[in-house]
Amino acid sequence: MGAAGISRSALGFAAVSLAAALFALAGVVASRLFDAGVTPVALAEVRAAIACGGLLLVPRARRSPAGRRRPGLLFGLGVALMLVTLAYYLAIARLPVAVAIVLQYTGPALVVAWVALTTRRRPPLEILVSLAAALLGVVLVSELPAVGTSGIDLLGLGAGLASAAMFAAYTLLSESAQRTYGAWGTML
């Protein structure tokens, strides 16, 4: 339990829930901005600047790592973050938001597949069931069945799939960076 009587897992669940809600809201806002003439590249630049500026205000994020620095890892993580954001915004600009979200959220399935391939072990049944439930949840919450798939833009589809691949790469690189830089330092 924390100082205020809240467990770390409850706090983590609340943080993940808030992040998911804000992510969905950001997708809708991005779609409206694109309709108003903002380009995906311009929005990605502004998003990165706001995130960086906000994280610079957090003292923990600015701490230097205790161990060896890994600039190549940070560069790869930065490129993956840039590409996941850009690909996602391109997908939103060319597809219904629901379709773009579902495509990007196939990224965790790619992470599970990557881990299974590199460890040469089948994921536990709990992971596979959780993954299926999460993907089904994203499909239902995004109302993908109501949106339909007729007239899907192929460039948008490619961007959505690229955002999933970059989301997976970003996730795996973040896990590695967190061991060196901590959670706040990795986010910055």
Side-chain angles (χ1 to χ4, degrees):
M1 291 284 204
I6 300 173
S7 72
R8 288 179 61 104
S9 61
L11 190 58
F13 182 76
V16 167
S17 298
L18 177 62
L22 291 174
F23 184 81
L25 177 63
V28 173
V29 170
S31 180
R32 290 192 176 146
L33 288 171
F34 298 144
D35 290 344
V38 176
T39 68
V41 172
L43 186 56
E45 289 171 349
V46 169
R47 178 182 175 180
I50 290 170
C52 185
L55 284 166
L56 283 171
L57 298 174
V58 178
R60 253 188 189 165
R62 296 189 315 262
R63 284 191 194 141
S64 205
R68 169 183 83 116
R69 294 194 172 145
R70 301 170 64 193
L73 173 64
L74 290 181
F75 179 77
L77 181 58
V79 168
L81 179 57
M82 174 191 68
L83 292 177
V84 73
T85 302
L86 183 59
Y88 177 62
Y89 286 162
L90 284 171
I92 288 175
R94 302 189 68 95
L95 299 170
V97 174
V99 175
I101 289 172
V102 170
L103 287 172
Q104 185 176 48
Y105 272 85
T106 59
L110 298 176
V111 171
V112 170
W114 176 259
V115 170
L117 284 172
T118 58
T119 62
R120 298 183 186 267
R121 296 193 329 200
R122 187 176 161 267
L125 182 59
E126 299 87 24
I127 297 290
L128 295 175
V129 169
S130 297
L131 185 60
L135 289 174
L136 179 62
V138 169
V139 167
L140 294 175
V141 167
S142 66
E143 299 178 354
L144 182 62
V147 171
T149 56
S150 62
I152 293 291
D153 182 283
L154 290 180
L155 183 59
L157 180 65
L161 293 172
S163 77
M166 290 296 100
F167 185 74
Y170 169 70
T171 300
L172 293 167
L173 290 168
S174 293
E175 183 178 355
S176 181
Q178 191 275 333
R179 289 190 288 272
T180 301
Y181 296 95
W184 286 103
T186 298
M187 284 191 289
L188 178 59

